[in-house]
Amino acid sequence: MLVPTRSTRRRISVLTSVATAVLLVAGCSRGTTPAEVEAAESFTEPVTITNCDRTATFDAPPQRIVSMNDHVTETLIQMGVGERIVGMGYGEQPDPLPETAEQFRAIPSLAKEYPTSEQVLDLEPDLVVGGMRSAFDDKNGFGRDSLEAAGIATFLFSEYCGQGFPDIGLLENDFAQLGAILGVEESATELAERIVSGLDSVGARLGAAGVQPIRTFFYDSGEAEPLSVGGVGIGNLIGEYAGVDNITAEGPKPYFATSWEVVGERQPEAIVVLDYGSTSAADKIAFLKNHSVMVTTPAVRNDRFVVVPLDDFFESSRMVTSADTIARALHPEAFVE
């Protein structure tokens, strides 16, 4: 099967019982806008969620949000709460999604990467949302324990809770929880359904065309040893929808270090290059083409590379773009009109 079945998707675990709460988060004591009133009125009773084994109860929708990653900012805008974001990390994204661009550029950018704890605390947020574990690094002073001790709720996209990303149900659950605590359940559900539908559409085209998965090496970075995509992250899931057989699927993490010898032995037929950072995709490809092991692989001999921005490999609507890009490059016959 090229497409994960819906039957494996996780049950949405939004709870609404205050009895299970260990954290009570109240709204700010400031003036409210009509949109805020509408969101608050969506709370007929406190909403309790469990995120990364942390249980929290909200008695009103958060109104002052700090978003720590650009894909989180885009997601919150798509859910309709962009006006509540008072500051964002990774705020210098040059190419935000067109549907979010205007609002994205209006949100104060706190830092090129992560802001300082002082910057976050000075904004007096009632919710901090992170898209990666590094967003809540204790070394930087804004671990989840520290923020919650200060009365600030936190939410971490679940790929980085430690169990990886086994199926699209994890995204559906995250978005349902965010929608519930923010009082925008309908728009959050619509966004999740749009992502699932887009991924299913890519997989369906490949299935209808009868294509076979192509043995593919995901190259993130590294020269002494390559950092690749394991079998438990979004990258591997995207590959499944895109008609890819990930040659390093035994990896226990979303990204992990393997060896050139392993990659060479498995003879990938294609290479997906993740584009980010100071080393360009073109430079990564040039390195692979001149590597003594990689030149022996069908992927390099046939010049079969696909470049995908790393921004498209996170838990967001960009997953559809990356799956479509890879599928069209490796299985063009499925997209002939």
Side-chain angles (χ1 to χ4, degrees), residues 42-316:
S42 71
F43 272 43
T44 57
E45 59 183 336
V47 174
T48 298
I49 65 168
T50 299
N51 168 245
C52 296
D53 296 326
R54 290 172 177 264
T55 300
T57 293
F58 296 75
D59 65 353
Q63 300 299 327
R64 295 183 61 80
I65 304 169
V66 170
S67 169
M68 298 295 277
N69 301 91
D70 48 4
H71 67 284
V72 172
T73 302
E74 290 180 337
T75 296
L76 293 173
I77 291 172
Q78 290 171 318
M79 288 184 181
V81 297
E83 77 284 351
R84 300 190 219 169
I85 303 175
V86 295
M88 60 179 172
Y90 281 86
E92 297 182 19
Q93 159 68 266
D95 299 305
L97 292 170
E99 67 185 280
T100 70
E102 182 177 359
Q103 200 162 19
F104 188 100
R105 295 187 176 111
I107 295 168
S109 172
L110 303 178
K112 183 177 181 181
E113 294 185 359
Y114 290 126
T116 64
S117 58
E118 290 78 11
Q119 287 177 300
V120 172
L121 294 174
D122 284 349
L123 290 171
E124 298 183 346
D126 48 14
L127 177 66
V128 177
V129 185
M132 301 177 68
R133 186 180 294 108
S134 55
F136 294 114
D137 191 342
D138 287 310
K139 295 178 181 177
N140 294 330
F142 40 69
R144 298 186 74 178
D145 287 338
S146 299
L147 289 169
E148 290 169 7
I152 302 169
T154 63
F155 188 94
L156 175 62
F157 279 28
S158 292
E159 179 184 15
Y160 291 90
C161 289
Q163 288 77 43
F165 207 94
D167 58 69
I168 199 62
L170 200 67
L171 179 145
E172 292 175 305
N173 190 69
D174 277 354
F175 284 23
Q177 290 187 328
L178 279 171
I181 66 177
L182 294 171
V184 290
E185 292 177 89
E186 184 176 345
S187 60
T189 298
E190 289 174 353
L191 177 59
E193 288 176 347
R194 172 155 63 100
I195 294 169
V196 172
S197 176
L199 292 170
D200 284 345
S201 178
V202 173
R205 294 198 69 148
L206 300 182
V211 304
Q212 295 300 310
I214 291 176
R215 292 175 56 76
T216 300
F217 167 51
F218 289 88
Y219 181 49
D220 177 283
S221 59
E223 295 190 358
E225 58 181 11
L227 190 68
S228 190
V229 167
V232 295
I234 281 181
N236 189 72
L237 184 65
I238 287 170
E240 291 179 7
Y241 281 102
V244 158
D245 178 12
N246 176 13
I247 67 166
T248 56
E250 79 284 356
K253 300 178 181 179
Y255 296 91
F256 78 109
T258 183
S259 70
W260 293 115
E261 289 72 24
V262 166
V263 176
E265 288 171 0
R266 296 178 183 179
Q267 292 287 287
E269 301 169 274
I271 300 173
V272 172
V273 176
L274 298 184
D275 189 13
Y276 73 100
S278 58
T279 303
S280 69
D283 287 341
K284 290 180 181 180
I285 291 172
F287 169 76
L288 293 171
K289 286 183 174 180
N290 288 283
H291 192 279
S292 59
V293 172
M294 294 306 295
V295 294
T296 68
T297 66
V300 172
R301 291 201 306 269
N302 296 323
D303 198 27
R304 205 172 189 185
F305 295 92
V306 185
V307 176
V308 179
L310 181 63
D311 283 338
D312 293 353
F313 261 56
F314 290 108
E315 185 180 347
S316 73

